[in-house]
């Protein structure tokens, strides 16, 4: 097999394995409500970035499901996230902010990282660059597109219920 053909087949395999989706420019998010993602509720823990990742999600209340995240490396908090999935009109949006281990914000005061809804299934919700899937009652997996130094990588988080 020629090297270029092998490289193309390898790239096709990588793309087909991707778990995140993007909302095409100009498209609107589909109709959805918080009850469709209420299965995310819970206390979840897994390994990521060489440490322990933990997320706690509330049940739907007040048109939102709030969450907190922390990453602990070598017994110290590396960073936190705080955010929510919010019901906005007839769709959902996932918004978050990052904080260092001393609660100093990464984003500007009035800025959030926003993930618009792309698609929703009974056990999987696709936000633009962020996917959450219920594997079973005691496991959820998340995939996030992370940009760093001009490259984008899809990172998987595997969480077990605490």
């Amino acid at each position: 097999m020629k090297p270029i053909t092998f490289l193309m087949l390898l790239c096709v395999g990588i793309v087909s394995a991707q778990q995140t989706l993007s909302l095409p420019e100009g498209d609107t998010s589909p109709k959805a409500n918080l009850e469709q993602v209420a299965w995310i509720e819970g206390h979840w823990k897994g390994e990521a970035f060489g440490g322990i990742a933990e997320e706690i999600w509330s049940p739907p209340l007040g048109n939102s499901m709030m969450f907190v995240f922390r990453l602990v490396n070598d017994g110290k908090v590396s960073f936190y996230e705080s955010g929510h999935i919010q019901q906005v009109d007839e769709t959902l949006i996932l918004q978050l902010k990052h904080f260092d281990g001393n609660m100093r914000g990464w984003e500007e005061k009035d800025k959030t990282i926003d993930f618009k809804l792309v698609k929703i299934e009974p056990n999987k919700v696709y936000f633009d660059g962020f996917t959450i899937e219920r594997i079973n009652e005691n496991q959820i997996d998340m995939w996030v597109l992370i940009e760093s130094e001009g490259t984008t990588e899809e990172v998987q988080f595997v969480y077990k219920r605490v």
Side-chain angles (χ1 to χ4, degrees), residues 32-118:
N33 63 64
L34 290 170
E35 292 306 317
Q36 292 174 275
V37 295
W39 49 263
I40 300 170
E41 176 191 347
H43 185 175
W44 305 95
K45 194 179 284 188
E47 295 180 16
F49 303 117
I52 302 298
E54 180 180 33
E55 295 204 21
I56 301 170
W57 284 82
S58 74
L61 180 67
N63 290 327
S64 75
M65 287 180 69
M66 67 177 174
F67 75 92
V68 290
F69 166 96
R70 71 176 164 183
L71 178 67
V72 176
N73 292 98
D74 300 320
K76 295 182 181 174
V77 173
S78 295
F79 73 94
Y80 296 100
E81 289 177 357
S82 181
H84 63 192
I85 296 175
Q86 185 178 31
Q87 180 84 43
V88 179
D89 299 321
E90 295 183 332
T91 192
L92 303 173
I93 187 167
L94 189 150
Q95 297 176 298
L96 61 86
K97 291 181 83 77
H98 295 92
F99 302 89
D100 69 16
N102 293 312
M103 295 302 292
R104 287 186 286 269
W106 292 4
E107 291 82 26
E108 292 182 32
K109 180 181 176 182
D110 294 332
K111 301 288 182 187
T112 57
I113 307 291
D114 296 349
F115 300 90
K116 293 181 179 179
L117 182 66
V118 176

XYZ file of all heavy atoms in Angstrom, residues 32-118:
707
model
N -35.175 21.060 22.669
C -34.820 20.102 23.719
C -35.192 20.715 25.056
O -35.414 21.924 25.168
C -33.334 19.774 23.674
N -35.246 19.858 26.088
C -35.508 20.360 27.434
C -34.634 19.611 28.439
O -34.057 18.570 28.135
C -36.998 20.254 27.789
C -37.477 18.827 27.804
O -37.036 18.017 28.622
N -38.399 18.500 26.901
N -34.552 20.148 29.636
C -33.680 19.596 30.669
C -34.051 18.177 31.090
O -33.171 17.402 31.476
C -33.654 20.512 31.897
C -32.929 21.833 31.684
C -33.171 22.763 32.862
C -31.440 21.609 31.473
N -35.321 17.827 31.026
C -35.718 16.470 31.415
C -35.041 15.428 30.519
O -34.799 14.308 30.955
C -37.236 16.320 31.389
C -37.933 17.128 32.475
C -37.413 16.861 33.885
O -37.185 15.676 34.238
O -37.205 17.836 34.630
N -34.698 15.801 29.296
C -34.042 14.870 28.376
C -32.588 14.578 28.773
O -32.015 13.605 28.295
C -34.085 15.416 26.946
C -35.485 15.444 26.355
C -35.472 16.119 24.997
O -35.552 17.328 24.892
N -35.357 15.313 23.953
N -32.008 15.431 29.623
C -30.617 15.227 30.062
C -30.518 15.066 31.580
O -29.433 15.097 32.142
C -29.681 16.355 29.575
C -29.584 16.355 28.057
C -30.122 17.712 30.096
N -31.642 14.867 32.242
C -31.655 14.736 33.705
C -30.813 13.560 34.185
O -30.370 13.535 35.334
C -33.092 14.611 34.220
N -30.533 12.583 33.304
C -29.709 11.423 33.653
C -28.258 11.803 33.992
O -27.520 11.000 34.554
C -29.743 10.373 32.547
C -29.499 10.899 31.151
C -30.466 11.214 30.233
C -28.246 11.170 30.526
N -29.872 11.666 29.071
C -28.516 11.645 29.232
C -26.922 11.058 30.929
C -27.516 12.005 28.331
C -25.909 11.428 30.045
C -26.211 11.895 28.765
N -27.844 13.029 33.691
C -26.485 13.487 34.015
C -26.339 13.727 35.519
O -25.232 13.659 36.062
C -26.130 14.769 33.227
C -26.197 14.501 31.721
C -24.749 15.283 33.609
C -26.099 15.762 30.867
N -27.444 13.983 36.203
C -27.402 14.269 37.646
C -26.579 13.233 38.395
O -26.662 12.034 38.124
C -28.824 14.274 38.213
C -28.859 14.465 39.709
C -30.237 14.216 40.311
O -31.233 14.134 39.565
O -30.304 14.092 41.546
N -25.777 13.710 39.347
C -25.030 12.796 40.196
C -23.634 13.282 40.520
O -23.209 14.354 40.104
N -22.954 12.454 41.277
C -21.567 12.703 41.690
C -20.715 11.703 40.918
O -20.893 10.490 41.077
C -21.456 12.504 43.202
C -20.124 12.844 43.761
N -19.883 12.823 45.114
C -18.938 13.206 43.199
C -18.627 13.157 45.348
N -18.033 13.388 44.199
N -19.787 12.208 40.105
C -19.017 11.383 39.181
C -17.520 11.586 39.398
O -17.075 12.700 39.658
C -19.376 11.741 37.740
C -20.839 11.654 37.456
C -21.758 12.672 37.495
C -21.575 10.490 37.105
N -23.007 12.205 37.181
C -22.925 10.864 36.939
C -21.223 9.150 36.909
C -23.913 9.954 36.582
C -22.214 8.252 36.548
C -23.540 8.658 36.390
N -16.755 10.513 39.246
C -15.303 10.610 39.441
C -14.593 9.716 38.432
O -15.063 8.631 38.109
C -14.932 10.175 40.860
C -13.519 10.561 41.276
C -13.208 10.126 42.700
C -13.881 11.056 43.687
N -13.468 10.816 45.084
N -13.431 10.199 37.942
C -12.619 9.433 37.003
C -11.198 9.967 36.976
O -10.818 10.797 37.811
N -10.428 9.501 36.019
C -9.050 9.948 35.867
C -8.931 10.768 34.590
O -9.519 10.430 33.569
C -8.104 8.755 35.800
C -8.067 7.959 37.088
C -7.122 6.767 37.023
O -6.273 6.708 36.106
O -7.237 5.905 37.896
N -8.144 11.857 34.671
C -7.899 12.705 33.502
C -6.675 13.559 33.753
O -6.397 13.934 34.896
C -9.105 13.604 33.224
N -5.954 13.855 32.706
C -4.799 14.752 32.773
C -3.829 14.366 33.890
O -3.280 15.223 34.569
C -5.248 16.202 32.939
C -6.179 16.693 31.867
C -7.472 17.086 32.187
C -5.782 16.749 30.549
C -8.343 17.537 31.202
C -6.647 17.195 29.557
C -7.927 17.587 29.884
N -3.662 13.077 34.130
C -2.731 12.610 35.134
C -3.206 12.755 36.568
O -2.421 12.655 37.507
N -4.497 13.000 36.761
C -5.020 13.174 38.109
C -6.423 12.627 38.248
O -6.894 11.844 37.419
N -7.096 13.065 39.299
C -8.474 12.663 39.576
C -9.405 13.796 39.152
O -9.261 14.936 39.604
C -8.687 12.368 41.082
C -7.723 11.273 41.565
C -10.145 11.994 41.361
C -7.913 9.937 40.876
N -10.362 13.478 38.290
C -11.377 14.438 37.845
C -12.688 14.097 38.543
O -13.056 12.933 38.655
C -11.551 14.373 36.330
N -13.368 15.130 39.009
C -14.624 14.938 39.744
C -15.642 15.959 39.258
O -15.319 17.125 39.085
C -14.352 15.122 41.231
C -15.555 14.958 42.114
C -15.197 15.146 43.589
O -14.303 15.946 43.908
O -15.843 14.486 44.410
N -16.871 15.493 39.036
C -17.979 16.380 38.646
C -19.185 16.063 39.505
O -19.479 14.902 39.776
C -18.361 16.202 37.173
C -17.273 16.603 36.240
C -17.766 16.988 34.856
O -18.955 17.336 34.695
O -16.943 16.939 33.939
N -19.890 17.113 39.894
C -21.139 16.972 40.641
C -22.195 17.776 39.891
O -22.029 18.982 39.690
C -20.990 17.467 42.093
C -19.883 16.681 42.809
C -22.329 17.351 42.831
C -19.480 17.232 44.156
N -23.255 17.101 39.472
C -24.343 17.708 38.704
C -25.629 17.695 39.521
O -26.004 16.663 40.075
C -24.580 16.924 37.413
C -23.558 17.172 36.356
C -22.329 16.588 36.242
C -23.682 18.070 35.269
N -21.686 17.070 35.132
C -22.497 17.981 34.509
C -24.685 18.945 34.846
C -22.281 18.727 33.361
C -24.467 19.683 33.696
C -23.284 19.581 32.972
N -26.321 18.815 39.556
C -27.608 18.913 40.250
C -28.735 18.430 39.343
O -28.582 18.382 38.122
C -27.880 20.367 40.648
O -28.230 21.131 39.495
N -29.899 18.119 39.937
C -31.077 17.829 39.116
C -31.593 19.129 38.491
O -31.242 20.219 38.947
C -32.079 17.260 40.115
C -31.669 17.813 41.430
C -30.178 17.992 41.371
N -32.434 19.037 37.464
C -33.006 20.244 36.874
C -33.802 21.046 37.901
O -34.586 20.489 38.666
C -33.943 19.712 35.781
C -33.422 18.351 35.454
C -32.867 17.824 36.748
N -33.575 22.352 37.937
C -34.301 23.267 38.808
C -34.041 24.682 38.313
O -32.894 25.037 38.035
C -33.831 23.127 40.261
C -34.524 24.045 41.284
C -35.998 23.672 41.439
C -33.813 23.956 42.628
N -35.091 25.473 38.196
C -34.924 26.863 37.772
C -34.370 26.996 36.365
O -33.538 27.858 36.097
N -34.786 26.123 35.464
C -34.338 26.130 34.074
C -32.850 25.859 33.905
O -32.241 26.281 32.920
C -34.708 27.440 33.367
C -36.184 27.558 33.130
O -36.865 26.553 32.905
N -36.705 28.762 33.200
N -32.232 25.146 34.877
C -30.823 24.805 34.715
C -30.460 23.551 35.498
O -31.167 23.148 36.423
C -29.918 25.959 35.160
O -29.863 26.050 36.561
N -29.364 22.952 35.089
C -28.690 21.897 35.841
C -27.278 22.416 36.072
O -26.507 22.568 35.125
C -28.622 20.593 35.046
C -29.926 19.863 34.910
S -29.737 18.315 33.955
C -28.774 17.321 35.090
N -26.957 22.735 37.327
C -25.626 23.294 37.587
C -24.635 22.168 37.861
O -25.015 21.051 38.217
C -25.661 24.259 38.759
C -25.948 23.623 40.085
S -25.886 24.853 41.407
C -26.442 23.831 42.753
N -23.343 22.502 37.658
C -22.297 21.539 37.953
C -21.044 22.234 38.443
O -20.829 23.416 38.189
C -21.962 20.662 36.737
C -21.146 21.364 35.683
C -19.753 21.300 35.716
C -21.754 22.071 34.660
C -18.993 21.936 34.744
C -21.004 22.711 33.691
C -19.617 22.641 33.735
N -20.220 21.475 39.157
C -18.872 21.877 39.515
C -17.938 20.740 39.134
O -18.323 19.568 39.161
C -18.708 22.235 41.012
C -19.418 23.538 41.342
C -19.195 21.115 41.900
N -16.723 21.102 38.778
C -15.690 20.157 38.368
C -14.408 20.554 39.071
O -14.146 21.747 39.281
C -15.481 20.263 36.850
C -14.221 19.589 36.347
C -14.257 18.305 35.854
C -13.005 20.264 36.346
C -13.101 17.688 35.385
C -11.841 19.655 35.874
C -11.895 18.366 35.396
N -13.601 19.549 39.440
C -12.254 19.851 39.904
C -11.313 18.756 39.430
O -11.689 17.587 39.309
C -12.183 20.018 41.412
C -12.359 18.762 42.217
C -12.170 19.022 43.696
N -12.704 17.897 44.456
C -12.740 17.850 45.756
N -12.305 18.865 46.469
N -13.243 16.800 46.364
N -10.094 19.185 39.160
C -9.033 18.265 38.799
C -7.977 18.338 39.884
O -7.490 19.422 40.216
C -8.406 18.636 37.447
C -7.236 17.738 37.023
C -7.714 16.309 36.740
C -6.536 18.314 35.804
N -7.640 17.181 40.457
C -6.655 17.101 41.534
C -5.440 16.325 41.026
O -5.577 15.186 40.575
C -7.247 16.411 42.784
C -6.197 16.244 43.867
C -8.443 17.202 43.301
N -4.278 16.969 41.068
C -3.010 16.341 40.711
C -2.079 16.412 41.913
O -1.934 17.481 42.519
C -2.339 17.064 39.535
C -3.096 16.899 38.248
O -3.862 17.775 37.866
N -2.899 15.793 37.570
N -1.456 15.299 42.247
C -0.499 15.249 43.360
C -1.073 15.837 44.644
O -0.397 16.579 45.371
C 0.806 15.968 42.987
C 1.473 15.337 41.770
O 1.463 14.083 41.683
O 2.003 16.072 40.924
N -2.336 15.542 44.928
C -2.970 15.980 46.159
C -3.379 17.446 46.201
O -3.816 17.928 47.243
N -3.265 18.175 45.074
C -3.635 19.590 45.032
C -4.570 19.860 43.859
O -4.452 19.245 42.796
C -2.394 20.469 44.876
C -1.455 20.391 46.058
C -0.288 21.318 45.858
C 0.649 21.201 47.064
N 1.864 21.962 46.864
N -5.489 20.801 44.051
C -6.405 21.176 42.975
C -5.632 21.921 41.893
O -4.972 22.922 42.168
C -7.566 22.056 43.502
C -8.412 22.566 42.345
C -8.424 21.274 44.489
N -5.709 21.407 40.667
C -5.101 22.082 39.518
C -6.019 23.177 38.991
O -5.577 24.271 38.684
C -4.813 21.088 38.399
O -3.835 20.158 38.797
N -7.313 22.842 38.845
C -8.290 23.845 38.427
C -9.693 23.357 38.717
O -9.930 22.179 38.958
C -8.118 24.259 36.962
C -8.554 23.227 35.940
C -9.836 23.251 35.403
C -7.670 22.263 35.482
C -10.236 22.329 34.446
C -8.051 21.331 34.521
C -9.334 21.375 34.007
N -10.613 24.333 38.688
C -12.047 24.099 38.859
C -12.780 24.566 37.613
O -12.284 25.408 36.867
C -12.614 24.928 40.021
C -12.087 24.609 41.388
C -11.102 25.409 41.975
C -12.594 23.548 42.127
C -10.636 25.147 43.250
C -12.137 23.277 43.409
C -11.153 24.084 43.966
O -10.692 23.825 45.230
N -13.984 24.052 37.431
C -14.949 24.597 36.483
C -16.272 24.713 37.221
O -16.583 23.886 38.081
C -15.177 23.673 35.282
C -14.050 23.586 34.317
C -14.333 22.580 33.200
O -15.379 21.901 33.194
O -13.469 22.482 32.325
N -17.023 25.714 36.863
C -18.381 25.870 37.364
C -19.246 26.199 36.162
O -18.818 26.944 35.268
C -18.441 26.998 38.393
O -19.756 27.135 38.881
N -20.436 25.615 36.120
C -21.270 25.889 34.964
C -22.653 25.292 35.082
O -23.080 24.877 36.159
N -23.322 25.260 33.938
C -24.680 24.716 33.909
C -25.068 24.330 32.488
O -24.451 24.758 31.516
C -25.690 25.710 34.480
C -25.805 26.990 33.722
N -26.465 28.077 34.215
C -25.359 27.379 32.510
C -26.427 29.075 33.350
N -25.766 28.674 32.307
N -26.082 23.486 32.408
C -26.851 23.333 31.176
C -28.108 24.129 31.443
O -28.812 23.897 32.427
C -27.189 21.864 30.867
C -25.920 21.061 30.609
C -28.137 21.788 29.667
C -26.151 19.570 30.409
N -28.365 25.083 30.595
C -29.492 25.994 30.811
C -30.528 25.830 29.707
O -30.178 25.672 28.530
C -28.991 27.438 30.836
C -30.065 28.443 31.162
C -29.507 29.859 31.228
O -28.562 30.191 30.534
N -30.091 30.673 32.072
N -31.797 25.854 30.124
C -32.909 25.880 29.180
C -33.052 27.313 28.700
O -33.280 28.222 29.500
C -34.198 25.434 29.877
C -35.428 25.419 29.001
C -35.543 24.134 28.217
O -35.309 23.060 28.753
N -35.903 24.247 26.958
N -32.873 27.542 27.405
C -33.013 28.866 26.812
C -34.032 28.741 25.694
O -33.787 28.049 24.701
C -31.668 29.401 26.264
C -31.855 30.756 25.629
C -30.619 29.456 27.366
N -35.162 29.391 25.882
C -36.283 29.256 24.947
C -36.624 27.774 24.821
O -36.933 27.142 25.803
C -35.968 29.930 23.609
C -35.724 31.431 23.765
O -36.435 32.060 24.573
O -34.811 31.956 23.105
N -36.507 27.201 23.630
C -36.896 25.800 23.444
C -35.702 24.886 23.208
O -35.837 23.817 22.619
C -37.889 25.690 22.295
C -39.205 26.384 22.588
C -40.216 26.198 21.475
O -39.823 26.016 20.306
O -41.413 26.235 21.803
N -34.497 25.301 23.663
C -33.307 24.485 23.467
C -32.419 24.552 24.712
O -32.811 25.130 25.729
C -32.542 24.904 22.192
O -31.555 23.914 21.895
C -31.910 26.268 22.326
N -31.252 23.944 24.618
C -30.315 23.891 25.735
C -28.968 24.481 25.322
O -28.584 24.423 24.150
C -30.073 22.437 26.174
C -31.293 21.632 26.576
C -30.897 20.171 26.826
C -31.949 22.224 27.807
N -28.240 25.005 26.303
C -26.869 25.456 26.100
C -26.058 25.062 27.324
O -26.568 25.116 28.448
C -26.785 26.983 25.833
C -25.352 27.376 25.450
C -27.301 27.777 27.026
C -25.239 28.787 24.878
N -24.830 24.619 27.104
C -23.921 24.306 28.199
C -22.931 25.471 28.291
O -22.323 25.851 27.285
C -23.171 23.002 27.928
C -22.337 22.451 29.083
C -22.266 20.927 29.008
C -20.945 23.008 29.129
N -22.821 26.070 29.475
C -21.917 27.199 29.692
C -21.040 26.901 30.900
O -21.505 26.315 31.880
C -22.695 28.487 29.949
C -23.551 28.910 28.765
C -24.374 30.126 29.096
O -25.208 30.087 30.001
N -24.148 31.206 28.373
N -19.766 27.323 30.837
C -18.878 27.110 31.969
C -17.827 28.200 32.073
O -17.602 28.960 31.130
C -18.219 25.725 31.894
C -17.325 25.404 30.692
C -15.897 25.877 30.910
C -17.342 23.904 30.454
N -17.209 28.252 33.249
C -16.077 29.128 33.533
C -15.022 28.305 34.255
O -15.356 27.398 35.012
C -16.488 30.318 34.410
C -17.398 31.320 33.696
C -17.767 32.479 34.581
C -16.741 33.552 34.638
N -16.654 34.460 33.513
N -13.744 28.636 34.015
C -12.616 27.958 34.654
C -12.025 28.838 35.755
O -12.019 30.064 35.638
C -11.501 27.701 33.631
C -11.878 26.765 32.551
N -12.412 27.190 31.355
C -11.790 25.410 32.472
C -12.629 26.135 30.582
N -12.263 25.050 31.240
N -11.474 28.175 36.777
C -10.810 28.857 37.889
C -9.568 28.058 38.260
O -9.603 26.822 38.252
C -11.737 28.937 39.115
C -13.029 29.642 38.831
C -14.124 28.922 38.360
C -13.145 31.003 39.020
C -15.325 29.565 38.094
C -14.348 31.657 38.753
C -15.439 30.938 38.283
N -8.504 28.751 38.631
C -7.326 28.027 39.085
C -7.572 27.485 40.490
O -8.649 27.684 41.069
C -6.056 28.878 38.997
C -5.996 30.043 39.979
O -6.763 30.081 40.969
O -5.154 30.936 39.766
N -6.593 26.810 41.067
C -6.746 26.202 42.383
C -7.024 27.186 43.502
O -7.474 26.805 44.581
N -6.776 28.478 43.258
C -7.052 29.531 44.247
C -8.282 30.359 43.878
O -8.452 31.467 44.374
C -5.828 30.444 44.404
C -4.671 29.706 45.033
O -4.849 29.026 46.042
N -3.502 29.807 44.441
N -9.111 29.808 42.980
C -10.380 30.418 42.559
C -10.207 31.718 41.769
O -11.116 32.538 41.719
C -11.323 30.644 43.754
C -11.789 29.358 44.410
S -12.660 28.233 43.282
C -14.151 29.140 42.949
N -9.073 31.902 41.122
C -8.908 33.038 40.217
C -9.397 32.615 38.839
O -8.955 31.589 38.305
C -7.449 33.492 40.174
C -7.027 34.210 41.459
C -5.627 34.786 41.335
N -4.621 33.737 41.399
C -4.044 33.316 42.528
N -4.366 33.858 43.680
N -3.129 32.362 42.490
N -10.292 33.404 38.279
C -10.908 33.056 37.002
C -9.953 33.110 35.828
O -9.063 33.950 35.786
N -10.160 32.191 34.881
C -9.372 32.188 33.645
C -10.011 33.107 32.614
O -9.323 33.811 31.908
C -9.295 30.791 33.059
C -8.510 29.793 33.861
C -7.920 29.981 35.084
C -8.250 28.438 33.504
N -7.306 28.826 35.496
C -7.488 27.855 34.545
C -8.591 27.657 32.409
C -7.062 26.537 34.509
C -8.161 26.345 32.385
C -7.406 25.791 33.415
N -11.333 33.044 32.501
C -12.034 33.876 31.523
C -12.277 35.262 32.127
O -12.284 35.432 33.345
C -13.380 33.241 31.144
C -13.257 31.964 30.327
C -12.996 30.724 31.153
O -13.359 30.691 32.338
O -12.396 29.777 30.618
N -12.504 36.241 31.241
C -12.850 37.577 31.715
C -14.138 37.514 32.523
O -14.955 36.608 32.355
C -13.016 38.530 30.532
C -11.713 38.817 29.800
C -11.904 39.806 28.675
O -12.779 40.700 28.794
O -11.185 39.686 27.675
N -14.329 38.501 33.362
C -15.445 38.522 34.321
C -16.796 38.188 33.699
O -17.555 37.385 34.243
C -15.492 39.905 34.980
C -16.591 40.059 35.990
C -16.586 41.454 36.582
C -17.745 41.655 37.514
N -17.787 43.010 38.054
N -17.140 38.785 32.577
C -18.463 38.594 31.974
C -18.457 37.595 30.815
O -19.421 37.546 30.044
C -19.014 39.941 31.503
C -19.307 40.884 32.661
O -19.593 40.385 33.770
O -19.236 42.107 32.470
N -17.419 36.801 30.677
C -17.314 35.837 29.575
C -17.514 34.413 30.074
O -17.121 34.066 31.182
C -15.936 35.931 28.903
C -15.607 37.283 28.328
C -16.405 37.552 27.097
C -16.001 38.910 26.531
N -16.833 39.314 25.439
N -18.136 33.586 29.244
C -18.285 32.160 29.523
C -17.844 31.384 28.285
O -17.791 31.927 27.181
C -19.749 31.786 29.841
O -20.581 32.190 28.742
C -20.235 32.423 31.126
N -17.539 30.111 28.482
C -17.306 29.195 27.371
C -18.667 28.575 27.077
O -19.277 27.962 27.948
C -16.280 28.097 27.730
C -14.997 28.693 28.282
C -16.037 27.191 26.537
C -14.157 29.441 27.306
N -19.160 28.762 25.865
C -20.508 28.324 25.499
C -20.462 27.178 24.495
O -19.707 27.223 23.522
C -21.294 29.477 24.883
C -21.537 30.623 25.854
O -21.280 30.447 27.057
O -21.975 31.692 25.402
N -21.297 26.172 24.745
C -21.422 25.016 23.870
C -22.896 24.905 23.473
O -23.727 24.494 24.290
C -20.979 23.736 24.591
C -19.549 23.751 25.072
C -19.245 24.227 26.339
C -18.525 23.294 24.264
C -17.933 24.235 26.796
C -17.205 23.297 24.711
C -16.911 23.768 25.981
N -23.213 25.257 22.236
C -24.599 25.179 21.754
C -24.984 23.728 21.481
O -24.151 22.911 21.090
C -24.758 25.994 20.473
C -24.600 27.479 20.683
C -24.795 28.219 19.379
C -24.671 29.712 19.590
N -24.841 30.448 18.317
N -26.260 23.429 21.686
C -26.782 22.087 21.429
C -26.754 21.799 19.927
O -27.188 22.618 19.117
C -28.213 21.957 21.958
C -28.862 20.594 21.793
C -28.152 19.538 22.633
C -30.333 20.652 22.160
N -26.247 20.606 19.578
C -26.193 20.171 18.182
C -27.232 19.093 17.921
O -27.957 19.120 16.933
C -24.790 19.630 17.815
C -24.760 19.092 16.389
C -23.732 20.700 18.018
